[in-house]
């Protein structure tokens, strides 16, 4: 069946590229044996479905098919002009070709492996010299993309389509719906992140894909926010993780706890036998990280960070405010 379809697609492409005028579906049916058999053994609908699928497959492979609705006395005609389907000369040096080869290997564990391999095949057909790495013990890079949200978000970012998904913030007790205009995806320290415009908050935000729950649903309409020319997802994530921050926060940490915080501390001072006081970099999103340490950590300042951590802990406990927490004590 695969061979038959490949032959049918090849015949259709040859017909469309080797004609000087648009051809109707009837003319193509009479010219291609597989179409003629489908029409004779099935019906007009069976032929039409086969033709539409083949036309879409050829377009996905890169063939530009023009549609002419006026050239055949009211019948739609199809034509693949050679001047529109002739690739310009592709000139890549050895380093650029090697970089593309490595990039294709990186995607072998992702759902884009087929597209990456197909792109390399097209470049090889255009005469780009690729050198295959035949060393069995050579280390090859891999970027796993196992999150179910990866592919729909990548497609949405490519097509500039808004999306809606359920997102559980770090330290949050439950997920909440987010309406986002996706800009770019990037892998940072083993995790995939999405950068985009959060419509509900009216600001740019970064989302870790592993915290997206349920399905990513596309929405109609265009983007409302301005898409920046360059989105440095890693820099934004690093900022939200407190890296590269110019501000500092002061926390009190229980002795023997919070080792990840201790490695980032700018200064550490022993308060007593049970607690240490740490000065740490303060960036957006630090409150989510600090809330994970629970009763082993107390935020001394700044006040907005302290309030953020308190709100997160109350949310986990299912309480609205400190007064309610005191009533349950």
């Amino acid at each position: 069946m695969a061979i038959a379809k490949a032959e049918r697609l090849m015949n259709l492409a040859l017909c469309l590229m080797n004609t000087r005028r648009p051809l109707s579906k009837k003319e193509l049916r009479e010219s291609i044996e597989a179409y003629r058999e489908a029409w004779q053994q099935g019906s007009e609908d069976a032929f039409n479905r086969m033709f539409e699928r083949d036309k879409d497959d050829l377009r996905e492979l890169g063939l530009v098919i023009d549609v002419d609705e006026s050239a055949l006395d009211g019948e739609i005609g199809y034509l693949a002009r050679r001047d529109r389907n002739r690739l310009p000369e592709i000139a890549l040096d050895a380093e650029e070709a090697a970089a593309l080869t490595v990039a294709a290997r990186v995607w072998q564990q992702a759902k884009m492996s087929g597209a990456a391999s197909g792109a390399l095949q097209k470049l090889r057909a255009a005469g780009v010299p690729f050198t295959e790495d035949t060393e069995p013990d050579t280390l090859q890079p891999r970027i796993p993309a196992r999150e179910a949200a990866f592919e729909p978000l990548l497609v949405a970012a490519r097509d500039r389509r808004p999306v809606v998904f359920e997102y559980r913030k770090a330290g949050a007790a439950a997920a909440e719906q987010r309406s986002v205009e996706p800009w770019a995806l990037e892998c940072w320290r083993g995790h995939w992140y999405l950068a985009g415009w959060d419509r509900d908050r009216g600001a740019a935000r970064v989302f870790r894909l592993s915290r997206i729950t349920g399905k990513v649903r596309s929405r109609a309409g265009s983007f409302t926010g301005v898409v920046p020319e360059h989105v440095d997802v890693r820099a934004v994530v690093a900022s939200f993780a407190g890296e590269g921050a110019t501000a500092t926060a002061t926390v009190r940490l229980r002795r023997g706890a919070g080792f990840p915080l201790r490695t980032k501390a700018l200064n550490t001072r022993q308060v007593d036998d049970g607690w240490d006081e740490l000065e740490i970099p303060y960036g957006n999103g630090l409150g989510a990280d600090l809330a994970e340490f629970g009763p082993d950590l107390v935020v001394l300042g700044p006040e907005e960070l302290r309030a953020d951590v308190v709100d997160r802990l109350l949310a986990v406990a299912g309480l609205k405010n400190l007064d309610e927490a005191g009533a349950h004590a």
Side-chain angles (χ1 to χ4, degrees):
M1 291 297 293
I3 296 176
K5 181 177 181 179
E7 182 179 353
R8 192 173 72 240
L9 290 175
M10 179 64 71
N11 289 335
L12 177 58
L14 290 174
C15 285
L16 294 175
M17 295 185 69
N18 288 280
T19 179
R20 295 183 178 180
R21 64 172 179 82
L23 298 176
S24 67
K25 285 199 292 186
K26 181 179 179 181
E27 290 175 313
L28 291 169
R29 186 187 68 199
E30 295 173 351
S31 302
I32 300 175
E33 182 178 359
Y35 289 160
R36 189 166 58 251
E37 291 179 355
W39 178 69
Q40 292 173 349
Q41 298 175 7
S43 64
E44 187 74 20
D45 289 339
F47 157 67
N48 287 333
R49 288 194 298 269
M50 180 182 291
F51 173 72
E52 293 299 327
R53 285 196 302 267
D54 290 349
K55 184 156 54 70
D56 291 340
D57 288 341
L58 286 178
R59 281 174 169 158
E60 187 174 347
L61 290 171
L63 188 70
V64 180
I65 301 176
D66 294 326
V67 179
D68 194 325
E69 300 182 1
S70 60
L72 299 170
D73 298 328
E75 288 191 58
I76 297 177
Y78 302 91
L79 173 68
R81 294 184 173 85
R82 291 198 174 192
D83 57 341
R84 298 191 63 191
N85 288 283
R86 182 180 296 112
L87 286 175
E89 182 179 355
I90 300 175
L92 298 177
D93 57 31
E95 291 183 356
E96 291 171 332
L100 287 177
T101 303
V102 171
R105 288 172 178 166
V106 164
W107 289 109
Q108 284 178 3
Q109 288 185 345
K111 293 184 178 181
M112 290 183 63
S113 58
S117 299
L120 281 188
Q121 292 298 332
K122 291 178 183 178
L123 289 172
R124 287 192 180 96
V128 177
F130 288 99
T131 57
E132 295 296 333
D133 189 357
T134 58
E135 296 294 333
D137 57 347
T138 300
L139 294 176
Q140 296 184 4
R142 293 290 187 271
I143 298 181
R146 303 183 181 92
E147 291 88 349
F150 177 83
E151 188 172 15
L153 287 176
L154 186 67
V155 173
R158 181 197 65 190
D159 297 341
R160 291 289 189 262
R161 291 203 312 269
V163 295
V164 174
F165 51 79
E166 298 293 323
Y167 189 76
R168 183 184 58 80
K169 296 190 298 184
E176 59 181 14
Q177 181 173 288
R178 310 296 283 269
S179 180
V180 179
E181 298 172 8
W183 292 342
L185 288 158
E186 193 163 344
C187 187
W188 188 73
R189 295 190 176 179
H191 298 286
W192 279 100
Y193 293 88
L194 166 72
W197 182 260
D198 190 321
R199 287 181 166 182
D200 300 321
R201 289 154 180 78
R205 288 291 186 270
V206 172
F207 305 91
R208 185 163 144 178
L209 266 61
S210 61
R211 292 176 180 160
I212 294 178
T213 62
K215 292 184 178 181
V216 175
R217 303 181 300 280
S218 298
R219 287 293 179 262
S222 58
F223 282 10
T224 58
V226 178
V227 181
E229 293 184 2
H230 175 68
V231 182
D232 192 341
V233 182
R234 295 189 182 189
V236 177
V237 175
S239 174
F240 270 73
E243 298 194 12
T246 56
T248 60
T250 305
V251 300
R252 187 163 292 180
L253 192 62
R254 194 184 302 275
R255 184 70 52 79
F259 292 103
L261 281 182
R262 295 180 184 276
T263 61
K264 298 179 180 180
L266 304 176
N267 293 296
T268 302
R269 181 178 67 87
Q270 182 177 346
V271 178
D272 52 37
D273 293 339
W275 295 85
D276 295 325
E277 190 173 290
L278 281 66
E279 183 183 3
I280 58 176
Y282 175 29
N284 293 325
L286 179 61
D289 294 334
L290 297 183
E292 296 180 358
F293 295 101
D296 292 327
L297 181 139
V298 177
V299 178
L300 302 180
E303 185 57 37
E304 64 268 17
L305 176 62
R306 177 182 173 85
D308 182 21
V309 173
V310 170
D311 288 343
R312 292 176 183 275
L313 293 175
L314 289 174
V316 172
L319 303 174
K320 295 181 180 180
N321 50 53
L322 288 176
D323 292 337
E324 186 174 344
H328 285 77

